[in-house]
Amino acid sequence: MSAHKGLKKWHAVVAGGNDPQALAEILHEDAVFHSPVVHTPQRGRPIVTAYLTAAGQTLGNDSFRYVREIVDSNTAVLEFVTEMDGIQINGIDMIAFDEDGLIVDFKVMVRPLKAINKVWEMMAAQLEASR
């Protein structure tokens, strides 16, 4: 099952602080990222690496944790919770892996609306700072 292999790599990268080089190594060259606040999918390893790095730096604070994980074949759904500026955030990472365990598709969904607005604000600032 490619999802189990890929999730092991994903959790190691998250635990290691979302290093951009480590992220790039677990992404397929044609990976696609679906943001909860950007309406067009982001395609290709470089841009997906940038978005996941920014997300890790934005959401990956001391309160971030995965609370549920569902795995089937090449797909995993991971529910997470975190807090940003006093706002409780609940979200889901839907990740599809290829046969080698590389991420080919990464979709993030966030709730409630107040949380989406905060994520958008902080992600935009993080992406701008990294340019």
Side-chain angles (χ1 to χ4, degrees):
M1 297 181 108
S2 61
H4 288 289
K5 184 187 331 182
L7 274 179
K8 185 175 180 179
K9 295 175 189 177
W10 171 252
H11 285 302
V13 169
V14 171
N18 292 298
D19 174 69
Q21 180 61 38
L23 277 169
E25 290 174 4
I26 66 169
L27 294 172
H28 187 276
E29 66 181 276
D30 297 320
V32 179
F33 179 77
H34 307 270
S35 166
V37 295
V38 178
H39 76 281
T40 57
Q42 305 301 301
R43 300 180 185 282
R45 184 182 290 139
I47 192 73
V48 174
T49 299
Y51 269 83
L52 288 175
T53 299
Q57 293 169 346
T58 301
L59 295 169
N61 59 42
D62 291 340
S63 68
F64 181 91
R65 70 185 190 287
Y66 283 115
V67 295
R68 188 178 320 181
E69 190 172 289
I70 302 166
V71 181
D72 183 37
S73 185
N74 70 335
T75 304
V77 178
L78 295 89
E79 181 181 2
F80 64 85
V81 294
T82 192
E83 182 179 325
M84 292 169 40
D85 292 345
I87 297 171
Q88 296 295 318
I89 297 172
N90 179 231
I92 293 176
D93 292 335
M94 294 175 55
I95 310 170
F97 300 90
D98 69 6
E99 57 279 347
D100 297 319
L102 295 176
I103 295 171
V104 293
D105 194 84
F106 199 110
K107 183 181 291 183
V108 181
M109 293 185 273
V110 175
R111 61 166 298 278
L113 180 58
K114 193 176 205 179
I116 293 171
N117 291 334
K118 179 52 71 176
V119 168
W120 175 83
E121 171 191 327
M122 297 193 71
M123 280 283 295
Q126 187 65 44
L127 287 166
E128 185 62 34
S130 68
R131 289 183 185 188

